[in-house]
């Protein structure tokens, strides 16, 4: 018995390389792009361990949980780490980065998350990139959540290591990810005696055995189904147009904020300023006295497929996430999510205006 998923011809090196080239075009980069055979945590960790060591001084920006993780990895590598943490309801500014670099002029590595889907904020990478470039530090960026929802331009922004994943705004698979690597970053890895070698974490293995060899022989059997799914999701973005995909996400974010405010019931945006809010997902603050996790569970009873989730960890008490990314960056997903939240709030005796919320979503969608 044959099966279309199980009886495919092997993925060739040429086909693999062609998918890398399409991802590079999506990022508008001339840097090397390596597609890693695992979820985005693989290149996120691999890039840090390849470039950081006991001689590294890092400025690690924390605007959500992933920034905390990067600081832990950097310390594990023996780096000296200065954390710059800002409240999760806002974003870091280029001026804050400039001030921190002035306070620690020995800094040679800056790590930043572009958009934190977990907290709903996004950071002004273009402006921050100018500051980091002026200072001369290596710039590491997690763009896993932002790619497809807003511009991600590693070359224009001076990003040396830009990690992306397809599972959010791109609407693709979670099992493969990619990283663009500048010549400066490759040189840093080559000079780092602690950089992973002969390891699944190793970017240098891909450089030496794949890129330097002309991309003719893969290191190991690729994750074929995930690679084909990545190719399919890039094709879909190309067909719709990246600008159109990003516009859908921007509209979804604006409509969710407007609809939540019009809904009432004490619901309000968690990220206070719209300019700091990520297009990939919108976080909302639950009304006083209402547990966000319980409110979300009640809302999902009407439709478990709605893109709603409570915040992670301690944030589950106060934060609601509307994950309007990928195929859920639509008016229907936003309307359905707010209607379900409104009904759940009404069940708890709070006054809501579902019709005003509906009209606000329609008015904000562009």
């Amino acid at each position: 018995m044959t099966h279309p998923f199980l009886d495919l011809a092997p993925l060739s090196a040429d086909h693999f390389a062609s998918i890398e080239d399409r991802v590079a075009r999506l990022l508008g980069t001339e840097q090397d792009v390596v597609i890693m055979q695992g979820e985005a945590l693989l290149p996120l960790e691999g890039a840090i361990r390849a470039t950081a060591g006991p001689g590294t001084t890092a400025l690690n920006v924390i605007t959500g949980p992933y920034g905390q993780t990067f600081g832990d990895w950097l310390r594990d590598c023996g780096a000296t780490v200065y954390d710059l943490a800002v409240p999760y309801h806002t974003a870091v500014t280029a001026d804050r980065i400039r001030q921190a670099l002035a306070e620690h002029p020995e800094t040679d590595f800056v790590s930043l998350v572009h958009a934190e889907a977990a907290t709903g904020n996004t950071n002004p990478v273009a402006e921050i990139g100018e500051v980091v470039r002026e200072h001369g530090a290596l710039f590491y960026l997690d763009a896993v959540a932002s790619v497809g929802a807003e511009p991600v331009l590693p070359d224009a922004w001076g990003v040396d290591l830009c990690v992306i994943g397809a599972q959010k705004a791109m609407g693709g698979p979670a099992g493969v990810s990619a990283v663009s690597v500048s010549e400066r970053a490759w040189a840093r890895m080559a000079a780092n005696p602690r950089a992973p070698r002969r390891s699944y974490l190793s970017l240098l293995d891909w450089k030496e055995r794949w890129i330097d060899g002309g991309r003719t022989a893969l290191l190991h059997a690729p994750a074929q189904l995930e690679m084909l799914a990545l190719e399919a999701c890039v094709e879909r973005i190309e067909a719709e147009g990246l600008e159109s995909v990003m516009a859908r996400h921007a509209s979804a974010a604006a409509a969710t904020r407007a609809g939540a405010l019009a809904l009432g019931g004490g619901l309000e945006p968690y990220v206070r300023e719209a300019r700091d809010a990520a297009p990939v997902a919108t976080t909302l603050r639950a009304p006083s006295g209402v547990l966000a996790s319980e409110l979300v569970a009640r809302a999902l009873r009407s439709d478990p497929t709605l893109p709603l989730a409570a915040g992670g960890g301690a944030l589950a008490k106060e934060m609601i996430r509307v994950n309007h990314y990928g195929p859920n960056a639509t008016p229907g997903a936003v309307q359905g999510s707010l209607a379900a939240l409104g009904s759940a709030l009404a069940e708890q005796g709070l006054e809501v205006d579902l019709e005003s919320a509906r009209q606000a979503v329609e008015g904000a969608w562009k």
Side-chain angles (χ1 to χ4, degrees):
M1 180 178 178
T2 61
H3 192 285
F5 291 159
L6 301 180
D7 300 294
L8 295 166
L11 188 71
S12 69
D14 284 346
H15 194 173
F16 192 105
S18 74
I19 300 171
E20 284 186 334
D21 292 341
R22 293 176 88 160
V23 171
R25 287 195 294 272
L26 183 72
L27 295 174
T29 184
E30 295 183 4
Q31 297 177 2
D32 291 323
V33 169
V34 179
I35 297 180
M36 302 289 280
Q37 304 298 282
E39 198 270 338
L41 282 172
L42 175 62
L44 285 169
E45 181 175 359
I48 282 180
R49 296 197 181 278
T51 51
T56 302
T57 300
L59 175 65
N60 179 53
V61 184
I62 301 176
T63 58
Y66 281 99
Q68 293 175 330
T69 298
F70 300 158
D72 291 340
W73 287 339
L74 286 161
R75 291 181 177 90
D76 285 346
C77 292
T80 299
V81 182
Y82 297 103
D83 288 326
L84 172 57
V86 302
Y88 290 175
H89 63 258
T90 187
V92 73
T93 65
D95 285 342
R96 291 286 302 276
I97 300 292
R98 182 178 287 106
Q99 179 182 352
L101 291 174
E103 292 171 357
H104 306 288
E106 71 276 24
T107 298
D108 60 4
F109 187 100
V110 174
S111 50
L112 176 72
V113 179
H114 187 184
E116 286 267 12
T119 51
N121 55 31
T122 191
N123 294 300
V125 182
E127 299 169 20
I128 292 169
E130 290 184 15
V131 174
V132 176
R133 186 163 51 242
E134 289 171 6
H135 187 81
L138 204 73
F139 192 12
Y140 164 101
L141 183 69
D142 171 356
V144 174
S146 55
V147 65
E150 56 187 305
V152 176
L153 302 168
D155 291 12
W157 296 344
V159 179
D160 295 289
L161 295 157
C162 182
V163 177
I164 67 167
Q167 69 267 34
K168 288 188 168 66
M170 289 177 65
V176 289
S177 48
V179 54
S180 65
V181 187
S182 73
E183 288 300 323
R184 285 204 320 155
W186 284 130
R188 179 80 69 95
M189 293 180 207
N192 181 9
R194 295 194 176 195
R197 299 287 189 112
R198 295 169 295 281
S199 164
Y200 209 59
L201 281 172
S202 178
L203 283 168
L204 280 174
D205 286 355
W206 282 97
K207 173 80 164 68
E208 295 169 358
R209 296 170 55 192
W210 171 244
I211 296 172
D212 292 349
R215 299 194 299 177
T216 59
L218 290 161
L219 275 64
H220 45 71
Q224 174 151 307
L225 295 180
E226 287 81 1
M227 287 295 294
L228 294 175
L230 175 61
E231 181 180 43
C233 96
V234 173
E235 285 179 351
R236 190 163 59 183
I237 291 171
E238 290 171 346
E240 181 179 349
L242 180 58
E243 292 298 325
S244 176
V245 175
M246 292 190 295
R248 278 197 295 110
H249 285 83
S251 289
T256 302
R257 287 179 72 87
L261 289 168
L263 180 65
L267 206 62
E268 60 184 24
Y270 189 88
V271 178
R272 294 175 183 173
E273 301 293 335
R275 66 173 182 271
D276 297 333
V280 67
T282 297
T283 49
L284 303 171
R285 190 179 297 276
S288 177
V290 175
L291 281 176
S293 57
E294 293 180 1
L295 184 66
V296 168
R298 189 175 290 108
L300 288 174
R301 288 175 195 159
S302 61
D303 183 356
T305 68
L306 290 171
L308 290 171
L315 293 174
K317 296 180 180 179
E318 60 179 353
M319 180 187 287
I320 300 156
R321 288 171 50 190
V322 184
N323 295 319
H324 47 66
Y325 52 70
N328 286 315
T330 64
V334 173
Q335 292 280 23
S337 297
L338 291 174
L341 288 171
S343 296
L345 288 167
E347 287 178 19
Q348 294 196 264
L350 295 168
E351 186 175 345
V352 296
D353 189 337
L354 294 173
E355 179 58 22
S356 290
R358 185 190 67 77
Q359 292 179 8
V361 169
E362 288 184 356
W365 199 280
K366 298 179 181 178

